[in-house]
Amino acid sequence: MRDSQSSDIELCIFILVDGARPDVINQLVDAGEMPHVRRYIAKPGTSGSAVTCLPSTTSVGYLPMLAGLYPGTADVPGIRWVDKKQFGAPGFFHTGHRSYTGAGLAHLNEDMPDEVETVYELCSQSLAFRSEVQRGLPSRQNRNWILCALPYAVGHYTHRVGSIDRWLVRGLCDGISGPQEEMPRFIFVPLSDVDVRSHGYGPMSRQVLDSYRGIDESIGAIFETLEKRGILDRTLVILSSDHGNTDTRHHLDLSRMVEEAGHRVFEYPMIHRRNCTAAVMVSGNSLANVYLSSSSGWEAPLTEDQLKREHGGLLEDIKNRDEVDFIAYRSEGNRVTVASVRGQGILDKDDGAYSYAWDGDDPLDLGLSKSTILVGKALEKTYESSYPDALEQLWYMFQSKRAGDIVVTSKLGFDLRARYEWPEHHSSHGALSRDQMMVPMMSNRPLADDAPMRTVDIFPTIANSLNLKPKKPHFGRSLI
């Protein structure tokens, strides 16, 4: 069935609308305010939702879609992280840390292990526009990468990058209007105005709704170009996102809290502090990887026994904060503990199944009727919960040695960064909360949406549509 559906596809275009919420798109489509999305995508194809990854944030959130891996399995567990062994190595300043919100983004591809295989490595005839994942992509095929840097930096402060999005879309249209021998087989374009405006004004603001309407105009331009070129019927277009967005009204300065507990804290942008005993690395502002030194220094990640023995007070203080939803950390035997004021759960994985048991109330409130869930059923069993795909995402987050000793997530309405967030954020993402994890999954062709979808399904779907054969292990299933 899959071969017959995908054999006629000559071009695959993946449009990533950064920070887009599926409920907002559906509301605007139903109201007739996104007519091009309705005409070219929703009506003939699929207009659904999917679950993204943890952390639900930009940059590392591209990896499921372009490489078929979760951030944890690619050893990049956030847009900011610390490698403890390197961080504690002798030297004048701390090393072994990264932030992908600035110049450090250039190191994303070298930070990933060799086991990561991107769609660009499978398809040499790829064309991308400002792709942050670049492994296998020659610089000449990653258009506007350098030229966009300054305009995006300005857009961060002015809360708008719509003109840059339109510029990238014009480049895409030019790319499919050239000579046949120069026609790419795969095109990737990320559009960022929705996310930038969401942080500036809130995810349901008038300014953000206008940005969605601008996305619709870009969709119209792309499909009209495909029609003029005569290749629309041989093109697969996928539209999705790396994360959702939720309204933010209050900010917990988690770094200051750790500092007040007696630690010398390393955080961005204060990266020249020396002799630090803790590091707080925030992603999307709703999730933080917290790293702590111990009696043995910075040698290795801490597990529950050592955390409670040396940092028990801080652990309890963070868990009990009104702004904090839950915390998670490593337990002995490679298990994961999830704790909140509601209760404590223990997550394990063995023989193709997750086991999850809790004391008190389930801190994740997953509504599970039994404690053992087959890996293949983990998404289905948690899909309608407040934390969709929580078991899979938490498990693989902690498969990275760079994941924090404590992973902290904020409640809705709050985030975890205050002092150095300029300008103030009015929306957040990064955590497991439903509206941060749910993203659109749309296509101009019918997708196999008979079961819940993940963004990690996009990688094998692209590969299958173009008859590409991944050589390295990956997650996900083809949807065509």
Side-chain angles (χ1 to χ4, degrees):
M1 180 182 69
R2 289 177 178 174
D3 288 342
S4 64
Q5 288 186 359
S6 61
S7 60
D8 64 325
I9 296 173
E10 297 179 3
L11 171 64
C12 178
I13 300 175
F14 175 34
I15 303 167
L16 188 150
V17 183
D18 195 336
R21 289 178 47 145
D23 56 339
V24 177
I25 290 180
N26 289 335
Q27 290 169 14
L28 292 174
V29 169
D30 291 344
E33 296 184 54
M34 296 187 78
H36 296 107
V37 170
R38 177 180 177 83
R39 174 186 174 185
Y40 290 113
I41 297 179
K43 191 172 181 180
T46 297
S47 180
S49 300
V51 177
T52 187
C53 58
L54 185 71
S56 50
T57 188
T58 307
S59 302
V60 298
Y62 290 15
L63 289 169
M65 300 173 277
L66 296 178
L69 294 177
Y70 301 126
T73 57
D75 211 16
V76 284
I79 60 170
R80 301 181 181 97
W81 51 260
V82 158
D83 188 312
K84 291 189 72 174
K85 192 167 187 178
Q86 294 182 45
F87 190 78
F92 194 75
F93 292 117
H94 289 289
T95 59
H97 54 84
R98 189 75 77 213
S99 172
Y100 298 131
T101 61
L105 183 58
H107 298 286
L108 173 61
N109 300 279
E110 67 190 58
D111 290 335
M112 300 184 297
D114 292 340
E115 290 74 21
V116 176
E117 180 180 46
T118 72
V119 66
Y120 305 128
E121 293 176 286
L122 299 178
C123 181
S124 60
Q125 295 170 270
S126 292
L127 178 63
F129 296 84
R130 205 183 58 83
S131 178
E132 297 182 4
V133 175
Q134 300 169 3
R135 182 172 292 180
L137 183 67
S139 58
R140 67 181 182 281
Q141 292 169 227
N142 190 20
R143 306 275 177 84
N144 308 113
W145 170 245
I146 296 176
L147 292 176
C148 280
L150 180 58
Y152 268 101
V154 173
H156 173 75
Y157 294 97
T158 61
H159 305 310
R160 58 184 65 237
V161 293
S163 59
I164 306 174
D165 283 357
R166 293 188 291 273
W167 180 36
L168 300 184
V169 169
R170 286 196 296 271
L172 187 158
C173 293
D174 290 343
I176 56 179
S177 299
Q180 180 63 36
E181 61 271 16
E182 297 178 8
M183 176 68 72
R185 297 187 67 204
F186 172 67
I187 301 177
F188 170 61
V189 59
L191 306 177
S192 300
D193 194 50
V194 167
D195 187 53
V196 170
R197 292 195 188 199
S198 293
H199 286 304
Y201 303 105
M204 308 300 289
S205 63
R206 171 184 56 81
Q207 293 90 339
V208 172
L209 297 182
D210 284 344
S211 184
Y212 281 99
R213 297 182 186 102
I215 295 296
D216 183 73
E217 294 176 4
S218 293
I219 296 297
I222 292 170
F223 275 90
E224 288 164 8
T225 303
L226 291 170
E227 285 181 323
K228 291 177 182 177
R229 184 65 193 262
I231 57 173
L232 177 56
D233 60 343
R234 302 191 302 279
T235 301
L236 171 68
V237 178
I238 299 171
L239 185 151
S240 190
S241 185
D242 46 354
H243 59 79
N245 266 298
T246 57
D247 188 58
T248 300
R249 299 177 298 279
H250 307 285
H251 313 282
L252 168 64
D253 194 332
L254 183 61
S255 295
R256 178 167 288 171
M257 180 185 174
V258 175
E259 193 174 81
E260 290 173 350
H263 288 278
R264 183 169 176 81
V265 177
F266 180 96
E267 63 176 321
Y268 277 84
M270 308 306 291
I271 61 174
H272 299 301
R273 287 178 179 158
R274 302 175 59 207
N275 304 315
C276 293
T277 60
V280 176
M281 310 298 264
V282 179
S283 290
N285 287 14
S286 281
L287 178 143
N289 283 293
V290 178
Y291 307 82
L292 300 166
S293 63
S294 66
S295 56
S296 57
W298 285 97
E299 279 300 304
L302 305 181
T303 54
E304 182 173 12
D305 285 350
Q306 194 169 14
L307 271 174
K308 289 186 173 180
R309 185 171 61 251
E310 300 191 30
H311 303 288
L314 178 62
L315 201 65
E316 285 296 306
D317 288 346
I318 294 175
K319 183 190 74 174
N320 293 327
R321 287 288 305 208
D322 290 340
E323 303 94 335
V324 170
D325 194 5
F326 66 84
I327 62 175
Y329 45 87
R330 298 173 182 83
S331 300
E332 280 62 33
N334 198 35
R335 297 181 299 171
V336 176
T337 295
V338 184
S340 75
V341 294
R342 302 182 293 273
Q344 179 169 302
I346 300 291
L347 173 63
D348 200 358
K349 181 174 179 283
D350 189 33
D351 295 329
Y354 291 108
S355 63
Y356 180 63
W358 56 91
D359 293 324
D361 292 331
D362 175 9
L364 297 175
D365 194 24
L366 296 179
L368 298 174
S369 59
K370 56 184 180 180
S371 62
T372 301
I373 305 295
L374 293 175
V375 169
K377 294 290 186 180
L379 175 58
E380 177 185 334
K381 295 295 184 181
T382 61
Y383 188 75
E384 299 296 337
S385 74
S386 299
Y387 307 99
D389 211 23
L391 303 181
E392 178 121 343
Q393 297 305 322
L394 280 168
W395 179 260
Y396 283 108
M397 175 83 169
F398 280 99
Q399 299 313 296
S400 171
K401 67 180 183 297
R402 294 167 173 165
D405 296 315
I406 312 170
V407 170
V408 184
T409 67
S410 63
K411 290 178 181 175
L412 295 178
F414 300 90
D415 68 13
L416 303 173
R417 188 170 161 89
R419 261 184 298 188
Y420 300 115
E421 194 58 64
W422 309 309
E424 181 184 4
H425 275 203
H426 296 284
S427 75
S428 300
H429 51 84
L432 271 174
S433 300
R434 183 173 186 83
D435 285 338
Q436 298 178 17
M437 291 291 289
M438 299 303 299
V439 298
M441 180 70 89
M442 308 180 76
S443 174
N444 64 327
R445 294 192 175 209
L447 300 178
D449 58 353
D450 51 314
M453 298 178 285
R454 296 181 173 108
T455 57
V456 78
D457 296 330
I458 291 175
F459 174 76
T461 300
I462 295 169
N464 189 50
S465 72
L466 299 176
N467 197 30
L468 306 172
K469 306 298 182 184
K471 302 176 181 64
K472 298 179 181 180
H474 63 81
F475 294 89
R477 63 187 176 100
S478 176
L479 301 174
I480 62 171

mmCIF file of all heavy atoms in Angstrom, residues 1 25 116 128 139 149 160 176 180 187 211 258 261 306 312 316 318 339 357 387 395 404 408:
data_model
loop_
_atom_site.group_PDB
_atom_site.id
_atom_site.type_symbol
_atom_site.label_atom_id
_atom_site.label_comp_id
_atom_site.label_asym_id
_atom_site.label_seq_id
_atom_site.Cartn_x
_atom_site.Cartn_y
_atom_site.Cartn_z
ATOM 1 N N MET A 1 0.827 -1.200 0.000
ATOM 2 C CA MET A 1 0.000 0.000 0.000
ATOM 3 C C MET A 1 0.863 1.253 0.000
ATOM 4 O O MET A 1 0.633 2.188 -0.752
ATOM 5 C CB MET A 1 -0.917 0.008 1.220
ATOM 6 C CG MET A 1 -1.814 1.233 1.290
ATOM 7 S SD MET A 1 -2.859 1.273 2.776
ATOM 8 C CE MET A 1 -1.593 1.551 4.028
ATOM 9 N N ILE A 25 -4.899 26.801 14.336
ATOM 10 C CA ILE A 25 -5.010 26.606 12.888
ATOM 11 C C ILE A 25 -6.400 26.106 12.529
ATOM 12 O O ILE A 25 -7.043 26.601 11.590
ATOM 13 C CB ILE A 25 -3.924 25.639 12.378
ATOM 14 C CG1 ILE A 25 -2.551 26.309 12.451
ATOM 15 C CG2 ILE A 25 -4.228 25.201 10.943
ATOM 16 C CD1 ILE A 25 -1.417 25.438 11.961
ATOM 17 N N VAL A 116 23.587 9.737 14.437
ATOM 18 C CA VAL A 116 22.531 10.588 13.887
ATOM 19 C C VAL A 116 22.677 10.653 12.373
ATOM 20 O O VAL A 116 23.726 11.033 11.848
ATOM 21 C CB VAL A 116 22.602 12.003 14.489
ATOM 22 C CG1 VAL A 116 21.555 12.904 13.841
ATOM 23 C CG2 VAL A 116 22.401 11.943 15.998
ATOM 24 N N ALA A 128 17.419 23.623 1.526
ATOM 25 C CA ALA A 128 16.894 24.086 2.805
ATOM 26 C C ALA A 128 17.082 25.584 2.926
ATOM 27 O O ALA A 128 17.922 26.183 2.245
ATOM 28 C CB ALA A 128 17.580 23.365 3.961
ATOM 29 N N SER A 139 26.716 23.898 2.415
ATOM 30 C CA SER A 139 26.331 25.265 2.769
ATOM 31 C C SER A 139 25.601 25.965 1.630
ATOM 32 O O SER A 139 24.688 26.762 1.866
ATOM 33 C CB SER A 139 27.567 26.073 3.175
ATOM 34 O OG SER A 139 28.528 26.086 2.125
ATOM 35 N N ALA A 149 20.934 35.848 10.184
ATOM 36 C CA ALA A 149 21.355 35.940 11.579
ATOM 37 C C ALA A 149 21.026 37.295 12.193
ATOM 38 O O ALA A 149 20.386 37.368 13.261
ATOM 39 C CB ALA A 149 22.856 35.658 11.678
ATOM 40 N N ARG A 160 8.819 40.436 15.685
ATOM 41 C CA ARG A 160 8.255 40.124 14.368
ATOM 42 C C ARG A 160 9.370 39.773 13.385
ATOM 43 O O ARG A 160 10.378 40.473 13.298
ATOM 44 C CB ARG A 160 7.391 41.261 13.826
ATOM 45 C CG ARG A 160 8.077 42.597 13.670
ATOM 46 C CD ARG A 160 7.092 43.667 13.223
ATOM 47 N NE ARG A 160 6.088 43.919 14.226
ATOM 48 C CZ ARG A 160 4.774 43.818 14.026
ATOM 49 N NH1 ARG A 160 4.318 43.468 12.837
ATOM 50 N NH2 ARG A 160 3.924 44.077 14.995
ATOM 51 N N ILE A 176 11.858 26.022 -6.955
ATOM 52 C CA ILE A 176 11.085 25.031 -7.725
ATOM 53 C C ILE A 176 10.631 25.597 -9.069
ATOM 54 O O ILE A 176 9.836 24.964 -9.776
ATOM 55 C CB ILE A 176 9.868 24.530 -6.931
ATOM 56 C CG1 ILE A 176 8.967 25.687 -6.492
ATOM 57 C CG2 ILE A 176 10.318 23.726 -5.730
ATOM 58 C CD1 ILE A 176 7.735 25.243 -5.722
ATOM 59 N N GLN A 180 14.707 22.019 -14.901
ATOM 60 C CA GLN A 180 14.359 20.703 -14.397
ATOM 61 C C GLN A 180 15.564 19.991 -13.801
ATOM 62 O O GLN A 180 15.450 19.312 -12.763
ATOM 63 C CB GLN A 180 13.769 19.846 -15.530
ATOM 64 C CG GLN A 180 13.366 18.433 -15.127
ATOM 65 C CD GLN A 180 12.260 18.430 -14.089
ATOM 66 O OE1 GLN A 180 11.373 19.281 -14.124
ATOM 67 N NE2 GLN A 180 12.316 17.489 -13.160
ATOM 68 N N ILE A 187 12.722 19.691 0.127
ATOM 69 C CA ILE A 187 12.884 21.090 0.521
ATOM 70 C C ILE A 187 12.385 21.247 1.952
ATOM 71 O O ILE A 187 11.304 20.764 2.313
ATOM 72 C CB ILE A 187 12.102 22.043 -0.408
ATOM 73 C CG1 ILE A 187 12.577 21.900 -1.864
ATOM 74 C CG2 ILE A 187 12.264 23.490 0.056
ATOM 75 C CD1 ILE A 187 11.793 22.755 -2.847
ATOM 76 N N SER A 211 -0.233 36.633 12.279
ATOM 77 C CA SER A 211 0.897 35.873 11.759
ATOM 78 C C SER A 211 0.433 34.562 11.120
ATOM 79 O O SER A 211 0.952 34.156 10.076
ATOM 80 C CB SER A 211 1.902 35.592 12.880
ATOM 81 O OG SER A 211 3.038 34.943 12.370
ATOM 82 N N VAL A 258 18.291 28.638 43.176
ATOM 83 C CA VAL A 258 19.406 27.731 43.433
ATOM 84 C C VAL A 258 20.559 28.508 44.080
ATOM 85 O O VAL A 258 21.249 28.008 44.980
ATOM 86 C CB VAL A 258 19.857 27.042 42.128
ATOM 87 C CG1 VAL A 258 21.099 26.186 42.355
ATOM 88 C CG2 VAL A 258 18.722 26.181 41.563
ATOM 89 N N ALA A 261 20.079 28.995 47.683
ATOM 90 C CA ALA A 261 20.297 27.769 48.449
ATOM 91 C C ALA A 261 21.770 27.561 48.775
ATOM 92 O O ALA A 261 22.137 26.549 49.388
ATOM 93 C CB ALA A 261 19.756 26.565 47.675
ATOM 94 N N GLN A 306 22.217 9.886 45.894
ATOM 95 C CA GLN A 306 23.192 10.947 46.113
ATOM 96 C C GLN A 306 22.536 12.325 46.107
ATOM 97 O O GLN A 306 22.908 13.212 46.877
ATOM 98 C CB GLN A 306 24.296 10.874 45.070
ATOM 99 C CG GLN A 306 25.524 11.713 45.411
ATOM 100 C CD GLN A 306 26.705 11.409 44.505
ATOM 101 O OE1 GLN A 306 26.560 10.768 43.467
ATOM 102 N NE2 GLN A 306 27.884 11.875 44.891
ATOM 103 N N GLY A 312 19.236 17.160 49.244
ATOM 104 C CA GLY A 312 17.842 16.855 49.554
ATOM 105 C C GLY A 312 17.002 18.086 49.821
ATOM 106 O O GLY A 312 15.831 18.157 49.397
ATOM 107 N N GLU A 316 13.661 19.173 47.526
ATOM 108 C CA GLU A 316 12.325 19.385 48.086
ATOM 109 C C GLU A 316 11.842 20.809 47.853
ATOM 110 O O GLU A 316 10.657 21.031 47.543
ATOM 111 C CB GLU A 316 12.341 19.073 49.587
ATOM 112 C CG GLU A 316 12.394 17.592 49.906
ATOM 113 C CD GLU A 316 11.158 16.865 49.420
ATOM 114 O OE1 GLU A 316 10.037 17.290 49.777
ATOM 115 O OE2 GLU A 316 11.312 15.867 48.681
ATOM 116 N N ILE A 318 12.568 22.874 45.394
ATOM 117 C CA ILE A 318 12.144 23.060 43.998
ATOM 118 C C ILE A 318 10.805 22.371 43.766
ATOM 119 O O ILE A 318 9.872 22.942 43.183
ATOM 120 C CB ILE A 318 13.213 22.522 43.031
ATOM 121 C CG1 ILE A 318 14.493 23.349 43.120
ATOM 122 C CG2 ILE A 318 12.682 22.541 41.591
ATOM 123 C CD1 ILE A 318 15.637 22.808 42.285
ATOM 124 N N ALA A 339 8.488 13.443 40.401
ATOM 125 C CA ALA A 339 7.964 13.834 41.705
ATOM 126 C C ALA A 339 7.304 15.204 41.635
ATOM 127 O O ALA A 339 7.753 16.103 40.925
ATOM 128 C CB ALA A 339 9.092 13.859 42.739
ATOM 129 N N ALA A 357 4.893 3.056 38.144
ATOM 130 C CA ALA A 357 4.154 2.906 39.392
ATOM 131 C C ALA A 357 4.335 4.163 40.224
ATOM 132 O O ALA A 357 5.342 4.866 40.089
ATOM 133 C CB ALA A 357 4.647 1.677 40.153
ATOM 134 N N TYR A 387 -0.296 15.111 29.737
ATOM 135 C CA TYR A 387 1.126 14.980 29.371
ATOM 136 C C TYR A 387 1.266 13.882 28.315
ATOM 137 O O TYR A 387 1.739 12.788 28.597
ATOM 138 C CB TYR A 387 1.968 14.649 30.606
ATOM 139 C CG TYR A 387 1.771 15.598 31.754
ATOM 140 C CD1 TYR A 387 0.925 15.279 32.807
ATOM 141 C CD2 TYR A 387 2.417 16.837 31.784
ATOM 142 C CE1 TYR A 387 0.727 16.157 33.864
ATOM 143 C CE2 TYR A 387 2.230 17.716 32.830
ATOM 144 C CZ TYR A 387 1.373 17.375 33.871
ATOM 145 O OH TYR A 387 1.180 18.244 34.905
ATOM 146 N N TRP A 395 11.612 8.951 29.377
ATOM 147 C CA TRP A 395 12.614 7.885 29.353
ATOM 148 C C TRP A 395 13.793 8.270 28.478
ATOM 149 O O TRP A 395 14.960 8.176 28.879
ATOM 150 C CB TRP A 395 11.993 6.576 28.869
ATOM 151 C CG TRP A 395 12.992 5.473 28.810
ATOM 152 C CD1 TRP A 395 13.658 5.005 27.712
ATOM 153 C CD2 TRP A 395 13.491 4.718 29.925
ATOM 154 N NE1 TRP A 395 14.527 4.008 28.055
ATOM 155 C CE2 TRP A 395 14.450 3.807 29.405
ATOM 156 C CE3 TRP A 395 13.222 4.719 31.282
ATOM 157 C CZ2 TRP A 395 15.129 2.919 30.223
ATOM 158 C CZ3 TRP A 395 13.899 3.831 32.097
ATOM 159 C CH2 TRP A 395 14.844 2.942 31.564
ATOM 160 N N GLY A 404 20.030 16.954 32.745
ATOM 161 C CA GLY A 404 20.327 17.482 34.067
ATOM 162 C C GLY A 404 20.215 16.445 35.172
ATOM 163 O O GLY A 404 19.571 15.406 35.022
ATOM 164 N N VAL A 408 13.420 20.177 35.642
ATOM 165 C CA VAL A 408 12.340 20.937 36.274
ATOM 166 C C VAL A 408 11.389 21.433 35.191
ATOM 167 O O VAL A 408 11.830 21.963 34.167
ATOM 168 C CB VAL A 408 12.899 22.140 37.058
ATOM 169 C CG1 VAL A 408 11.785 22.882 37.788
ATOM 170 C CG2 VAL A 408 13.987 21.689 38.034
#
